[in-house]
Amino acid sequence: FTRRLVGLYELSYSERLFVLELESLEIRRLKYDLCMYYKILNNIVDMDVENFFVLRSHDFNTRGHSFTLKLRDCKNDTTKNSFANRNINCWNSLSQDVVSAKSIFSFKHKLNKCDFNDFIRGRAFK
């Protein structure tokens, strides 16, 4: 869509994002997934946590935050790339301050300050 805007046809995707002050589609999708993780784990949406995630026990491990998740067994790429698995490493890398936000608004605000360059594959960074 951004290519159709006047004066932006000749620019690359990353240049158009810079000019329009937008994030890449990949980062936006990642953030939407993390927001949904937050909503499920905090019972903001009517979905059973156990249907999606396995919470890691912190009995013997002091690393990570209180909502650290475990990857489910992945027997194929479909399972590996499913909603419940595709961004668990990114979720687990978030700080306790971010995942323990008091509201979804606060969570989104804190999420915007995080660096996701280690978790995206695309060329357009923002």
Side-chain angles (χ1 to χ4, degrees):
F1 172 77
T2 59
R3 186 177 292 171
R4 294 180 179 212
L5 297 174
V6 177
L8 300 181
Y9 181 77
E10 298 294 323
L11 298 178
S12 70
Y13 178 63
S14 57
E15 290 170 332
R16 291 191 309 270
L17 292 176
F18 180 77
V19 168
L20 297 170
E21 297 180 12
L22 295 174
E23 294 177 320
S24 71
L25 181 59
E26 186 177 9
I27 290 177
R28 285 182 282 150
R29 285 179 178 159
L30 172 64
K31 286 183 177 182
Y32 286 130
D33 276 356
L34 295 175
C35 286
M36 194 62 175
Y37 282 24
Y38 176 87
K39 289 176 182 180
I40 292 171
L41 291 168
N42 288 284
N43 298 313
I44 295 173
V45 292
D46 189 23
M47 300 175 109
D48 193 16
V49 175
E50 288 80 27
N51 288 342
F52 292 96
F53 306 116
V54 178
L55 288 169
R56 186 174 287 163
S57 171
H58 285 280
D59 295 340
F60 303 104
N61 187 0
T62 57
R63 291 186 177 185
H65 49 74
S66 58
F67 288 109
T68 304
L69 303 173
K70 271 176 43 175
L71 282 170
R72 292 184 179 261
D73 291 332
C74 301
K75 296 179 182 174
N76 56 39
D77 284 343
T78 304
T79 307
K80 182 174 120 181
N81 295 315
S82 69
F83 166 75
N85 279 335
R86 68 179 168 234
N87 290 312
I88 283 183
N89 291 333
C90 184
W91 173 265
N92 289 340
S93 75
L94 296 174
S95 69
Q96 178 68 36
D97 180 54
V98 176
V99 299
S100 63
K102 299 292 182 196
S103 67
I104 187 65
F105 177 79
S106 175
F107 177 77
K108 288 178 181 180
H109 181 73
K110 292 177 181 187
L111 206 57
N112 284 331
K113 296 179 181 179
C114 295
D115 179 20
F116 297 109
N117 286 334
D118 292 342
F119 301 100
I120 57 175
R121 296 181 211 138
R123 296 170 293 172
F125 302 139
K126 177 89 169 104

